[in-house]
């Protein structure tokens, strides 16, 4: 299949709201400017890789030039160029005063922003003959980085919407177009509303998991526009006895050692919690779940 997304450039959405100062026209103009910059970055990368590939077998990308079926392994003309987004929730919160899940109007405004992004991406695709596609960035580090940068450069504005624990530096923006992870909503309602963004986002879309799996799957595909659902169990890995148990626990269920590490999939893939940046730790603590979890856990 040889699918290749050559690069992902992610937009810091809350910053657009800070710069727009509540003005719709300015907000959409800023959005246009930023998408144009993203497209420029993609073009530069494409030109650079094309130049490297032109050296064929004597260049640094020999493997990608490998030609077994009449075309090189990396087919540049078929590449996709991703445009991601972080912090739609905080953009809406700063711009309208309500979070994305707060009202029908804020949800509608969010959809308007994404629809506009899609329109601009499609225009740029035609203009440059490249495939620009919106993606819900699995922002393992970006959500933290953007929040930190904005607290530095737009401290007054960012302080009003940044999520997490500022005292501990565990700050983050909400991923892509998702709702506040701490918002108390039932999972069906969450996927239903979050799924309304999916028809506009062609590359992968993510939504947190839930209980009652079978019922959940049926209801989701019958009643929502979601493209995909991922169920992500969590695990505790013990450094003392080496065993793994289901769920996040303070101590190993096998040997009671507290030398444990959690393994969970907060966005794109499974990782050990001890390897996370502070922003992701902040998000984990805020994450809303149906059942009691991490009760009394302070890590
Ligand atoms: Zn153990």
């Amino acid at each position: 299949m040889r699918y290749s997304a050559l690069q992902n450039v992610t937009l810091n959405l809350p910053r657009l709201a800070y710069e727009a100062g509540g003005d719709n026209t300015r907000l959409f103009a800023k959005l246009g400017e930023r998408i144009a910059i993203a497209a420029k970055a993609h073009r530069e990368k494409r030109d650079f890789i094309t130049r490297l590939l032109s050296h064929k077998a004597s260049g640094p990308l020999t493997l990608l030039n490998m030609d077994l079926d009449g075309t090189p392994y990396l087919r540049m003309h078929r590449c996709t160029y991703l445009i991601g987004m972080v912090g739609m929730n905080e953009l809406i919160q700063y711009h309208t005063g309500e979070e994305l899940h707060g009202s029908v109007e804020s949800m509608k405004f969010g959809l308007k922003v994404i629809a506009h992004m899609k329109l601009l991406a499609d225009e740029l695709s035609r203009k440059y003959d490249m495939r620009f596609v919106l993606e819900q960035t699995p922002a393992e580090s970006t959500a933290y980085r953007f929040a930190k940068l904005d607290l530095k450069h737009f401290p007054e504005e960012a302080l009003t919407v940044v999520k997490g624990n500022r005292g501990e530096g565990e700050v983050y923006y909400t991923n892509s177009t998702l709702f506040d992870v701490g918002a108390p909503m039932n999972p069906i309602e969450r996927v239903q509303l979050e799924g309304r963004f999916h028809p506009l986002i062609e590359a992968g879309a993510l939504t947190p998991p839930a209980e009652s799996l079978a019922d959940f799957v049926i209801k989701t595909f019958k009643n929502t526009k979601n493209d995909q659902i991922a169920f992500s169990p969590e695990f505790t890995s013990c450094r003392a006895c080496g065993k793994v148990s289901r769920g996040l626990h303070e101590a190993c269920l096998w040997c009671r050692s507290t030398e444990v590490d959690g393994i969970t999939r907060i966005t794109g893939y499974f990782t050990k919690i001890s390897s996370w940046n502070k922003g992701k730790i902040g998000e984990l603590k805020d994450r809303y779940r149906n059942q009691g979890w991490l009760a009394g856990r302070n890590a």
Side-chain angles (χ1 to χ4, degrees):
M1 286 167 65
R2 291 149 70 179
Y3 171 80
S4 171
L6 200 68
Q7 180 78 40
N8 182 355
V9 178
T10 297
L11 304 192
N12 180 351
L13 295 183
R15 185 172 292 193
L16 301 177
Y18 308 153
E19 290 174 347
D23 184 294
N24 277 354
T25 312
R26 270 182 72 115
L27 183 76
F28 284 98
K30 290 277 166 203
L31 187 57
E33 279 170 25
R34 294 304 146 80
I35 290 205
I37 294 173
K40 184 164 182 250
H42 278 310
R43 282 181 353 254
E44 286 176 2
K45 170 95 178 240
R46 178 199 60 185
D47 295 347
F48 179 66
I49 297 294
T50 303
R51 213 157 56 237
L52 294 184
L53 287 169
S54 72
H55 295 284
K56 305 278 178 189
S58 62
L61 300 180
T62 315
L63 203 65
L64 297 178
N65 263 320
M66 181 173 56
D67 180 351
L68 296 178
D69 64 356
T71 53
Y73 182 71
L74 177 61
R75 295 169 299 187
M76 286 300 286
H77 65 286
R78 295 186 61 168
C79 281
T80 294
Y81 302 86
L82 301 175
I83 297 176
M85 70 288 295
V86 158
M88 175 63 84
N89 183 56
E90 286 73 31
L91 177 154
I92 300 292
Q93 190 179 0
Y94 189 83
H95 195 73
T96 72
E98 268 182 315
E99 287 190 82
L100 202 49
H101 65 274
S103 72
V104 177
E105 284 69 37
S106 53
M107 182 74 193
K108 272 191 186 157
F109 194 79
L111 286 167
K112 206 168 131 184
V113 172
I114 288 293
H116 192 67
M117 282 182 77
K118 169 104 170 69
L119 192 82
L120 293 168
D122 289 347
E123 271 176 25
L124 289 163
S125 298
R126 282 193 295 276
K127 184 171 174 188
Y128 295 112
D129 194 23
M130 292 165 78
R131 204 165 162 259
F132 296 114
V133 169
L134 299 188
E135 186 201 39
Q136 292 193 328
T137 309
E140 274 77 12
S141 52
T142 320
Y144 172 50
R145 179 179 151 77
F146 282 175
K148 263 199 323 185
L149 284 170
D150 284 351
L151 282 172
K152 186 172 164 204
H153 298 290
F154 292 81
E156 253 174 63
E157 294 87 348
L159 269 173
T160 61
V161 295
V162 153
K163 302 290 175 289
N165 183 335
R166 286 162 219 146
E168 299 288 323
E170 295 171 350
V171 294
Y172 65 95
Y173 283 137
T174 307
N175 262 333
S176 63
T177 58
L178 300 183
F179 292 162
D180 185 337
V181 294
M185 322 172 63
N186 82 54
I188 285 289
E189 189 188 6
R190 184 182 281 269
V191 291
Q192 206 156 28
L193 293 172
E194 287 182 344
R196 291 182 61 191
F197 287 99
H198 293 193
L200 298 164
I201 297 170
E202 294 164 76
L206 311 162
T207 275
E211 326 300 332
S212 322
L213 302 190
D215 186 42
F216 183 80
V217 171
I218 293 163
K219 276 193 187 156
T220 300
F221 288 114
K222 273 190 178 165
N223 306 330
T224 81
K225 293 181 176 165
N226 270 263
D227 294 330
Q228 55 173 324
I229 314 169
F231 294 106
S232 306
E234 294 169 325
F235 305 93
T236 299
S237 147
C238 177
R239 283 190 284 269
C241 74
K243 286 184 177 154
V244 172
S245 37
R246 271 292 291 272
L248 292 177
H249 306 290
E250 287 273 337
C252 172
L253 295 186
W254 303 93
C255 74
R256 306 310 307 168
S257 165
T258 54
E259 288 296 302
V260 292
D261 200 354
I263 301 174
T264 178
R265 191 184 125 148
I266 200 156
T267 46
Y269 41 81
F270 281 98
T271 44
K272 288 194 172 176
I273 293 172
S274 59
S275 71
W276 289 5
N277 64 50
K278 282 181 163 190
K280 280 289 148 202
I281 298 280
E283 181 182 327
L284 179 71
K285 286 183 188 169
D286 287 346
R287 215 197 278 189
Y288 177 77
R289 291 159 204 235
N290 262 10
Q291 290 176 347
W293 64 286
L294 282 182
R297 189 186 164 90
N298 53 13

